[in-house]
């Protein structure tokens, strides 16, 4: 593999960051794959941060907003994904606070109602409930929220 210089790495990463949001973790991983030394990585990252190409707080806000609105992820799944990328707890909390709670609740209900409809072929109610809860927990929703929607769906089906 061709060796990447600090200036070359900066230019490539700046171009990448100009197209879409990226966090420090992603960029450091890319530089590690390029075989750059830790010192060179630190210098490039410092320059990217000082020129505002990369900002973990901004990244966390965009990530949380997009995952909640577009993919219908719950707060728990968003939090875990951001933690895996090395985002600070304060940045995660700020990002989650910006999510529109009413829109997120509506999206949660929409996602879970769609899943409920696919589970109607399941004849065993216990298996249906287990599949529903497993799916909803995997999407990152809280138990109380899932239980409330499940009880509502089950009551509608029974009536």
């Amino acid at each position: 593999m061709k060796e990447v210089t600090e200036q070359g790495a900066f230019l490539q990463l700046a171009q990448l960051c100009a197209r879409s949001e990226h966090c420090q973790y992603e960029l450091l991983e890319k530089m590690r794959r390029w075989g750059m030394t830790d010192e060179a990585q630190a210098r490039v990252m410092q320059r990217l941060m000082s020129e505002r190409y990369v900002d973990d707080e901004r990244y966390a806000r965009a990530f949380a907003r997009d995952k909640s609105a577009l993919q219908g992820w719950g707060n728990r799944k968003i939090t875990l994904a951001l933690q895996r990328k090395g985002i600070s707890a304060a940045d995660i909390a700020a990002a989650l606070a910006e999510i529109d709670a009413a829109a997120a609740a509506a999206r949660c209900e929409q996602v879970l109602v769609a899943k409920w409809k696919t589970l109607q072929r399941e004849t065993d109610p216990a298996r249906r409930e287990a599949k529903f809860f497993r799916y909803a927990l995997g999407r990152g929703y809280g138990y109380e929220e899932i239980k409330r929607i499940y009880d509502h769906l089950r009551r509608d089906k029974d009536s």
Side-chain angles (χ1 to χ4, degrees):
M1 176 169 31
K2 189 174 99 175
E3 188 168 322
V4 179
T5 64
E6 283 185 42
Q7 180 63 19
F10 172 77
L11 292 174
Q12 285 184 32
L13 295 176
Q15 188 176 38
L16 181 69
C17 290
R19 287 193 304 261
S20 63
E21 285 292 338
H22 293 277
C23 65
Q24 291 180 42
Y25 175 81
E26 293 170 340
L27 301 179
L28 288 170
E29 281 298 308
K30 190 171 279 297
M31 287 189 281
R32 276 189 206 104
R33 284 195 306 270
W34 292 341
M36 294 179 69
T37 65
D38 290 344
E39 296 80 24
Q41 289 177 36
R43 287 189 296 270
V44 171
M45 187 57 64
Q46 185 57 44
R47 186 170 171 201
L48 288 167
M49 290 169 55
S50 68
E51 295 186 23
R52 307 252 323 130
Y53 281 105
V54 64
D55 180 349
D56 280 353
E57 181 182 356
R58 186 177 65 214
Y59 172 81
R61 287 193 318 264
F63 184 91
R65 192 174 42 250
D66 289 351
K67 293 299 182 185
S68 176
L70 302 177
Q71 272 95 24
W73 285 15
N75 286 354
R76 291 171 191 218
K77 188 168 184 171
I78 293 169
T79 299
L80 288 173
L82 289 172
Q83 285 173 342
R84 270 188 238 114
K85 292 180 183 240
I87 306 296
S88 73
D91 288 346
I92 293 172
L96 293 176
E98 284 192 11
I99 294 175
D100 180 11
R107 180 73 170 145
C108 170
E109 189 158 351
Q110 176 187 13
V111 166
L112 296 183
V113 166
K115 182 61 177 178
W116 177 257
K117 288 177 183 175
T118 68
L119 293 173
Q120 294 313 299
R121 293 180 293 250
E122 180 63 61
T123 55
D124 182 9
R127 287 190 67 193
R128 182 183 318 127
E129 180 178 355
K131 286 180 179 183
F132 181 82
F133 274 84
R134 192 173 320 114
Y135 174 81
L137 289 168
R139 294 294 292 235
Y141 300 120
Y143 180 79
E144 292 302 319
E145 187 176 25
I146 298 166
K147 181 84 170 114
R148 179 184 56 77
I149 293 170
Y150 177 78
D151 289 343
H152 176 73
L153 291 169
R154 202 178 71 218
R155 270 195 308 275
D156 286 354
K157 183 179 187 263
D158 292 342
S159 39

